Amino acid sequence: MSIETKAALLGLAAGLAVLGGTFGLSPLLQLATAAAAKEQSTNIASAATSPTLEGEARRGHSLFDHNCAHCHGDDARGDEGPSLYDLNKTDARIARIVREGIKGEMPKFGAKLNDADIQALIAYLRTLNS
Amino acid sequence: MSNVLWAKMHGGTTHFPIALVMASALFDLAGFLLPDNPGKTRRASFQAAGFYTIVLGALGAFGAVASGLVMSQGQLWGRGSLARHHAFLWPAFGLLIGLAVWRLVVRDRASSLGFKIYLAGSMLTAILMAAAGYWGGELLLNR
């Protein structure tokens, strides 16, 4: 067997091994991050003197972490984007902003989040009271 | 560690493998197509550059994938732009690691046919990485 054939087999094995490892370890990572998110949501809820997040608000918090925290800050008190505490907007208005974005200021998430996701996100945002 | 920090780490680390894989494919292509100089150093220099850039790109890919997985809370597929990002990313990641291992083992002992196949693979990987990077950008900038 030539060195190239051996290297090709080794390369194939390495490529499959890293993909297998990544896909195999991912469920463990999901468990670990879910536990961390649960702890974080409890902390945020405590900080906002509101009860522990439940149901839709909990799912909304996870969606927030994944989609919004990058700009609005981990604690939703603002970073590149504004603070989302004490929002003085209707649910429909918030949903439209999330879905369609704000030109030049905020990306649109309509292709990424469905209506149920946006409602969960709004449920979480409604827990953010000073 | 905060999700924002992981997102920033992913944004920082992910550009290294994208750029290095593209550079590697271009260096190898240049070494393959351009005529050698009288001192016989031009092709060897391009191939050495192609070798080191793909090895560094493969090493960098681990950091980019790890930070991306933590940031997305272990999501391997997702929906919308994230699904499209992953559709290009996972084949690119597997190919990149495979090609880097092949190159590490073979070094400068590749036959003409073997190197042509490798070169086609590295260009395909560069295209897949660029597409994965494009859809990753769309996740943030889908205005």
Side-chain angles (χ1 to χ4, degrees), chain B residues 44-66:
Chain B
S45 300
F46 274 125
Q47 288 185 357
F51 170 81
Y52 286 112
T53 43
I54 197 151
V55 171
L56 289 173
L59 290 174
F62 284 99
V65 166

Side-chain angles (χ1 to χ4, degrees), chain A:
Chain A
M1 191 185 288
S2 73
I3 185 79
E4 285 181 326
T5 309
K6 282 181 192 167
L9 291 174
L10 200 58
L12 182 65
L16 291 174
V18 293
L19 286 179
T22 304
F23 279 65
L25 288 175
S26 175
L28 297 176
L29 187 62
Q30 285 174 8
L31 286 175
T33 52
K38 186 178 175 184
E39 187 183 339
Q40 192 180 34
S41 72
T42 304
N43 291 343
I44 287 175
S46 303
T49 62
S50 62
T52 304
L53 295 178
E54 286 178 358
E56 282 295 271
R58 180 185 294 276
R59 197 169 78 81
H61 183 211
S62 173
L63 289 166
F64 174 88
D65 268 351
H66 189 60
N67 297 284
C68 320
H70 183 66
C71 291
H72 291 283
D74 234 9
D75 56 1
R77 290 188 181 276
D79 189 350
E80 289 170 53
S83 166
L84 298 177
Y85 269 70
D86 305 317
L87 282 179
N88 188 20
K89 288 181 170 64
T90 64
D91 286 4
R93 174 85 178 119
I94 296 171
R96 194 151 68 90
I97 291 172
V98 172
R99 214 166 17 243
E100 298 172 13
I102 302 171
K103 192 168 182 175
E105 292 179 32
M106 180 180 141
K108 56 187 173 191
F109 289 86
K112 194 176 175 193
L113 302 175
N114 60 31
D115 287 345
D117 291 339
I118 293 172
Q119 288 311 311
L121 199 51
I122 291 170
Y124 168 64
L125 295 177
R126 293 299 182 206
T127 68
L128 303 177
N129 302 309
S130 305

Side-chain angles (χ1 to χ4, degrees), chain B residues 17-142:
Chain B
I18 294 171
L20 287 165
V21 167
M22 286 181 180
S24 178
L26 289 175
F27 283 137
D28 281 331
L29 189 65
F32 182 72
L33 293 178
L34 295 177
D36 215 348
N37 60 348
K40 302 280 182 193
T41 57
R42 183 184 287 153
R43 281 192 166 172
S45 300
F46 274 125
Q47 288 185 357
F51 170 81
Y52 286 112
T53 43
I54 197 151
V55 171
L56 289 173
L59 290 174
F62 284 99
V65 166
S67 58
L69 275 176
V70 176
M71 179 188 79
S72 69
Q73 300 178 351
Q75 278 197 71
L76 292 165
W77 203 253
R79 295 192 295 114
S81 296
L82 184 62
R84 285 187 276 274
H85 174 61
H86 285 147
F88 290 103
L89 171 70
W90 298 126
F93 184 45
L95 263 172
L96 173 57
I97 301 305
L99 289 170
V101 167
W102 187 87
R103 196 74 185 268
L104 272 168
V105 174
V106 172
R107 300 258 174 169
D108 56 356
R109 292 170 288 181
S111 65
S112 174
L113 176 63
F115 192 75
K116 281 178 190 165
I117 294 170
Y118 167 85
L119 191 55
S122 79
M123 286 194 284
L124 174 64
T125 307
I127 291 167
L128 290 170
M129 290 285 268
Y134 171 80
W135 287 111
E138 283 294 291
L139 282 168
L140 289 175
L141 303 167
N142 53 348

